[in-house]
Amino acid sequence: MSARIRRGRRWYGLFSGGFFDDASAEGVTFDAEALNGAHIYLAAGSKEFGLLAIQRTSEVLTESGVTGYHSHVVTGGHDWFSIRQIYVDYVLNELFQ
């Protein structure tokens, strides 16, 4: 199996974070043109506090017109078991696609 990261591409991975409450997301927009072509990966465990933050961030991205992002939820909480699953998915399915 060979894998190669393409040059000139941008990847952003947000694991278990983002806008934790509505007030922190209020008035925030993303520049859809500047993020055109970027790979944005949002991920969290299904039973952790970061899941709502990822969902809010996804909503703000969508409202801003950003379409190039992927959300991933794994079974688990905010722990190393979940982070390992997220990291493996990010590396294999985003970076080395």
Side-chain angles (χ1 to χ4, degrees), residues 18-30 52-53 55-61 63-64:
F19 299 113
F20 282 95
D21 57 32
D22 290 332
S24 64
E26 190 171 327
V28 174
T29 60
F30 290 97
L52 291 175
Q55 291 169 339
R56 281 189 190 94
T57 303
S58 177
E59 290 169 5
V60 173
L61 284 166
E63 290 168 1
S64 299

Side-chain angles (χ1 to χ4, degrees), residues 7 24 30 35 46 49-50 80 93:
R7 293 177 186 250
S24 64
F30 290 97
L35 292 173
S46 62
F49 59 88
W80 283 113
N93 297 315

Side-chain angles (χ1 to χ4, degrees), residues 77-97:
H78 188 76
D79 54 32
W80 283 113
F81 178 74
S82 297
I83 295 299
R84 281 192 304 265
Q85 292 179 76
I86 290 168
Y87 182 72
V88 167
D89 183 69
Y90 179 65
V91 170
L92 295 179
N93 297 315
E94 295 292 323
L95 294 181
F96 294 108
Q97 54 178 313

